[in-house]
Amino acid sequence: MERSIVGFHQDIEHHWVAELECGHFQHTRHDPPWVNRPWVTTPEGRASMIGYKLPCKKCDAGIPPDH
């Protein structure tokens, strides 16, 4: 199920985590060559992704919200 990004925060290891409209969190790492998300490295890049939809596997599995 696709859910919109509504915000971001950093986890304890300083990795960026997307906050989804459903209340679930999803890591959005930039870790080339495996994951290429250069937009996550700047405030402007993250702001440009607000409203972007990501697949939420936690919703698909019926897992309660993270917060």
Side-chain angles (χ1 to χ4, degrees):
M1 184 172 302
E2 292 197 342
R3 301 292 190 182
S4 296
I5 297 173
V6 296
F8 290 92
H9 69 268
Q10 285 185 303
D11 68 9
I12 196 165
E13 296 176 348
H14 304 287
H15 296 276
W16 285 102
V17 178
E19 301 166 0
L20 303 180
E21 64 181 313
C22 56
H24 289 126
F25 299 155
Q26 190 173 122
H27 279 92
T28 52
R29 294 180 181 96
H30 176 55
D31 190 20
W34 299 283
V35 180
N36 191 17
R37 293 183 178 138
W39 54 265
V40 81
T41 62
T42 66
E44 298 82 10
R46 290 186 299 279
S48 75
M49 297 303 284
I50 299 294
Y52 182 81
K53 292 185 183 272
L54 293 175
C56 183
K57 293 179 183 178
K58 291 179 182 179
C59 276
D60 292 340
I63 297 171
D66 292 319
H67 61 74

